[in-house]
Structures are given as C-alpha cells and as structure tokens.
C-alpha cells in the first residue's frame, strides 16, 4: 500500500472526507516520520483552510485555529502567557511547523503544549460542528479519530495564576522528562478552581488530581506546597522510554512541582 | 504511484518538477530537482541537516510534504554563494566551523534565517537559532563564533 495525499481547501470538506477513512496531517512533524519510514500508509488528508491559522480574541480568552503553529503563538503578543510553553517545543524549524492541534495528539513523551492547555481548561471545537468539548475528554480518548477546527483557550486571570515548567536533559532543546502546568486562580488569598497537569507522566497529558485536591481552597504557603509535592506522583504509572525511566519520573516529579509552585507563590 | 506537478522558486529561480504522493521535500529536492545541499540525517526531524527556508523561515525538509511548496519560495545552501562564497560561508571557513561538514548546509540555513530577521543577534539568540541543528564534530563553539563574526561585522564588512 502507498500513501495518497488529498488536500481540501475547506476544513469541512476534509472532515467529510475523513468519514471515509484516512489520517489527517497537520504540521507533519509527527506523521511525516511515519510516512518516511513506511509505517504510515493509505490516505492522508490535509486542509489549507485559512481559518485553521486564525487567532481570535474572545470574551474570556482566545480561539486558536487547530493549525496555528508554535511560531504563530510566539509571534502573538496577546498569547504572551503561552510563550514560555511554545518556546520550549523543538527548535525553530519544529516550531515553524508544529501545530497546536497536532500537539494534542502527539504521542508520549511529546505534548507539552497540550499539557499547558489542559491546565488552562481549554475546550476543543470539532471540525464536524457541534459544541466545544473539554480537552480532558479528547486526551482520554485519543485513539479515536478526531478532527478539530479550533481550540478555545481561557485567559489566565492574571500572569501569576499560570505557570509552566519543562524538564529535559538536553538544553536548550530537548524532549520532556516531564512537564508541569498549573493554573492557580486566587480568591481572597485562597486557591480556587485549581488545575494542575502533567506531560510525559502517562500515555497522554493528564490532570494531577491528588495535587489539585491538596491545593484547592488553600493558600500557596510552604506547608501546602510541601503537601502537594508529597502526593505529586500519587496514582501515576509513568512510562519508561529512552529519555527516562518511569521510576525516575515518579521520583523527581515532586521536586519539580515544588519548584514550580514556589515560583508561583 | 500518483505524480503531482509542483512549481516553486528555488534559490531565486523558477522550477517545475513532479513529486510522488507522500514524497518529502528533502527527497524531492535531491532526487527530483538535483539540489544536493540539504542532507538526509535522521528522517525524523531531530538533526536539522535537511533545513531549508520556506518563504524565509527555516523548515525541516524531511518532514515537509513536497507538494506543499507549490507557489512558495525555497532556499537552500546551494543558493548562498554567488560569484564568491557568502560572508557566512567565509566565516564558517575562517572559524573551522565545519569538520565533517554534514550539518553545515542546515546550520548555514538556520543562521541565514536568523541574520535576515535579526542582523545583530547576541550569543543566546544564536544558540537558540541553531538549537534545532545537531553537530557531532565541532562542539558548536566555532559555529556560534562564525555566526557572531558576521553579526558583529568581522566578516564581509
């Protein structure tokens, strides 16, 4: 079997075509590897719909077309809160190609941008229409084909409310040992509606539920941070890969969570 | 296998060639067009040896579908030299920034994109600009020095 590439001007046409089977190609940074080594075969679908590259401000945040690249994010002053995340994804060449939508489906240990969006409570807009769905749902069910039109990203309440940290062995560009994102809105000094997420700590980016439970309703003081760090790896079974063993990821995640929370305190 | 016509500009010259379905830009440039400057390193987007500029922006040609360059401008290291080598190439020579030379076309294109956008980069900006390119010979320092030589007017002034 060979590869056939179909390019559709409108995303809606690509969505209709996908119903007949095939794989959607965004920036190609993940999928082209498979095309090159022959592991990806069959029908590849693309779309050149300009809406995929659009960044729109909405009432409480931004809507990013699924084809917005990491370089596009870095070029947008409105998206400054996401710059520390986009900046640590690949080198300049990868950032010019890798898309926000593609990052949601990038296999372990990739997906640092998805980790940040998960902490921010992002919602995804299906290309086939219908209501936006929480990103949490998509990340739990990535094996099923999803074609996305856009991602709705709430703006953090203030710059201090959102933090991101990536741990990699190679500087300045390296694959994640792990990444952590935290959205910690404060209400009268207490943390409310806390969301903390991990990248590379499971098969897909996931919420750090035990950490969220420790932080919710508390002030971000040293005692709370210490308790959060203690439960950082609770219930997790991170994968082992050439970057790190699962054991090492479990051992160090608390240390890095503590550093991130101290920075945000 | 279906063939598709692609027309584009390569190093300032209009080109037309056929690409196979699913063919990457690196293979298309080397086998289809005969531009052997971009190198096959990993085929996985990890080494940067295949870096070319698409509309002035560095891209990994091994991860780019050839057909997506239709109507676009592609620049490779083959286009850097005119009657003589470019100041950047001269600086690479002076600083011994190439040993085996395999990464050099990719490094040159990453540096070209940087200097076009930011003619006076500092050392950190140079390091960031070549962070997607791997060199296993030089330890990077001669490459950084060569790019800074051009940025700071020590070459080609």
């Amino acid at each position: 079997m060979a590869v056939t590439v179909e390019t559709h001007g409108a995303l809606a046409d690509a969505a209709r075509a996908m119903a007949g089977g095939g794989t959607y190609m965004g920036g190609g940074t993940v999928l082209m590897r498979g095309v090159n080594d022959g592991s990806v075969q069959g029908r590849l679908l693309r779309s050149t719909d300009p809406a995929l590259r659009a960044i729109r401000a909405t009432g409480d945040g931004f809507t990013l077309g699924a084809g917005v690249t990491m370089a596009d994010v870095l070029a947008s002053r409105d998206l400054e809160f996401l710059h520390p995340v986009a900046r640590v994804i690949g080198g300049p060449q990868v950032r010019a190609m890798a898309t926000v939508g593609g990052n949601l489906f990038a296999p372990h240990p990739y997906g640092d941008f998805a980790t940040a969006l998960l902490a921010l409570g992002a919602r995804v807009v299906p290309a086939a229409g219908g209501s936006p769905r929480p990103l949490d749902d998509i990340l739990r069910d990535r094996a099923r084909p999803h074609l996305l039109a856009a991602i709705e990203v709430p703006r953090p309440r203030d710059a201090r409310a959102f933090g991101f940290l990536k741990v990699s062995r190679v500087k300045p560009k390296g694959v994640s040992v792990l990444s952590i994102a935290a959205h910690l809105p404060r209400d009268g000094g207490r943390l409310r509606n806390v969301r903390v997420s991990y990248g590379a700590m499971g098969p897909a980016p996931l919420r750090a539920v035990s950490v969220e439970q420790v932080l919710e309703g508390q002030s971000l003081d040293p005692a709370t941070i210490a308790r959060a760090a203690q439960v950082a790896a609770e219930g997790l079974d991170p994968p082992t890969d050439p970057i790190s063993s699962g054991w090492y990821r479990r051992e160090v995640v608390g240390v890095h969570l503590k550093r991130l929370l101290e920075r945000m305190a | 296998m279906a063939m598709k016509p692609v027309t584009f500009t390569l190093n300032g010259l209009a080109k037309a060639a056929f690409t196979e379905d699913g063919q990457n830009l690196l293979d298309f440039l080397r086998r289809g067009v005969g531009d052997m400057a971009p190198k096959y390193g990993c085929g996985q987007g990890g080494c940067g040896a295949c870096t070319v500029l698409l509309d002035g922006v560095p891209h990994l040609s091994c991860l780019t579908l050839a057909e997506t360059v239709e109507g676009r401008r592609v620049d490779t290291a083959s286009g850097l030299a005119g009657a003589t080598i470019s100041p950047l190439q001269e600086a690479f020579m002076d600083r011994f920034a190439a040993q085996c030379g395999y990464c050099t076309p990719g490094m040159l294109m990453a540096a070209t994109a940087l200097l076009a956008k930011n003619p006076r980069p500092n050392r950190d900006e140079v390091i960031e600009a070549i962070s997607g390119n791997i060199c296993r010979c030089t330890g990077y320092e001669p490459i950084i020095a060569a790019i800074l030589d051009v940025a700071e007017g020590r070459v080609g002034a």
Side-chain angles (χ1 to χ4, degrees):
Chain A
M1 192 198 265
V3 168
T4 59
V5 181
E6 287 175 32
T7 302
H8 296 272
L11 182 63
D13 292 341
R16 271 191 290 278
M18 248 186 95
T23 309
Y24 187 81
M25 177 180 277
T29 53
V30 173
L31 203 59
M32 274 303 284
R33 298 174 175 198
V35 173
N36 290 343
D37 67 20
S39 60
V40 170
Q41 296 279 327
R43 201 171 169 221
L44 292 184
L45 297 151
R46 301 174 55 241
S47 175
T48 51
D49 196 325
L52 286 169
R53 293 290 294 270
I55 298 173
R56 276 189 307 114
T58 57
D60 63 347
F62 298 91
T63 300
L64 312 186
V68 165
T69 65
M70 299 301 147
D72 294 335
V73 170
L74 286 167
S76 165
R77 296 181 74 166
D78 288 338
L79 298 177
E80 206 168 358
F81 62 99
L82 287 170
H83 287 188
V85 188
R87 199 175 290 126
V88 294
I89 292 175
Q93 297 94 323
V94 166
R95 291 197 290 271
M97 300 169 72
T99 64
V100 172
N103 198 268
L104 308 185
F105 297 95
H108 169 87
Y110 305 113
D112 298 320
F113 205 84
T115 302
L117 294 181
L118 183 60
L120 286 165
R123 298 166 69 83
V124 298
V125 181
S131 317
R133 294 174 57 195
L135 175 57
D136 309 53
D137 293 355
I138 302 289
L139 292 174
R140 268 195 298 267
D141 184 23
R142 296 201 298 180
R144 215 161 55 81
H146 299 275
L147 186 54
L148 311 180
I151 298 100
E152 296 176 349
V153 186
R155 190 197 320 258
R157 191 180 292 177
D158 57 78
R160 201 169 139 228
F162 177 66
F164 175 81
L165 173 152
K166 172 171 171 171
V167 183
S168 56
R169 297 166 60 163
V170 180
K171 304 286 187 301
K173 172 202 152 184
V175 179
S176 273
V177 171
L178 59 90
S179 58
I180 310 174
H183 187 217
L184 309 176
R186 290 168 171 85
D187 190 359
R190 301 275 171 188
L191 305 177
R192 303 283 180 210
N193 302 316
V194 165
R195 291 177 68 99
V196 178
S197 57
Y198 292 148
M201 290 296 288
L206 44 80
R207 300 268 298 273
V209 179
S210 300
V211 172
E212 290 177 352
Q213 284 168 351
V214 166
L215 296 177
E216 186 65 35
Q218 305 298 311
S219 61
L220 198 55
D221 54 40
T224 304
I225 292 172
R227 281 203 307 280
Q230 257 172 6
V231 301
E234 210 170 84
L236 298 178
D237 183 18
T240 291
D241 57 36
I243 305 294
S244 166
S245 67
W247 171 85
Y248 181 75
R249 288 187 162 104
R250 278 183 58 86
E251 285 294 308
V252 301
V253 66
V255 174
H256 292 292
L257 176 70
K258 182 167 179 277
R259 287 178 189 166
L260 176 64
L261 295 178
E262 283 172 347
R263 213 170 72 196
M264 296 175 73
Chain B
M1 183 171 282
M3 301 292 278
K4 295 175 180 171
V6 183
T7 55
F8 63 109
T9 305
L10 178 63
N11 298 321
L13 297 173
K15 289 275 176 189
F18 284 96
T19 174
E20 296 160 12
D21 240 343
Q23 186 178 27
N24 66 50
L25 178 60
L26 174 65
D27 191 46
F28 174 68
L29 288 172
R30 290 178 63 87
R31 277 201 307 131
V33 183
D35 185 339
M36 307 302 269
K39 297 289 182 279
Y40 179 90
C42 64
Q44 300 281 301
C47 72
C50 68
T51 299
V52 301
L53 306 189
L54 288 189
D55 298 326
V57 178
H59 279 66
L60 298 162
S61 62
C62 77
L63 298 185
T64 302
L65 271 177
E67 64 186 79
T68 63
V69 304
E70 171 66 35
R72 301 177 73 181
R73 196 180 89 228
V74 180
D75 290 293
T76 70
S78 300
L80 289 181
T84 57
I85 59 171
S86 69
L88 187 62
Q89 288 168 306
E90 195 183 326
F92 266 60
M93 236 171 54
D94 291 348
R95 288 285 190 172
F96 298 99
Q99 284 185 30
C100 85
Y102 205 78
C103 74
T104 309
M107 287 287 184
L108 287 169
M109 297 321 286
T112 298
L114 168 71
L115 294 168
K117 195 175 161 191
N118 176 8
R120 296 281 179 271
N122 61 34
R123 182 183 160 86
D124 287 347
E125 289 164 334
V126 170
I127 291 171
E128 172 55 37
I130 61 167
S131 64
N133 297 70
I134 289 174
C135 173
R136 284 294 174 255
C137 301
T138 64
Y140 300 100
E141 282 301 326
I143 296 171
I144 296 165
I147 299 168
L148 286 173
D149 277 354
V150 177
E152 291 163 11
R154 288 189 289 272
V155 177

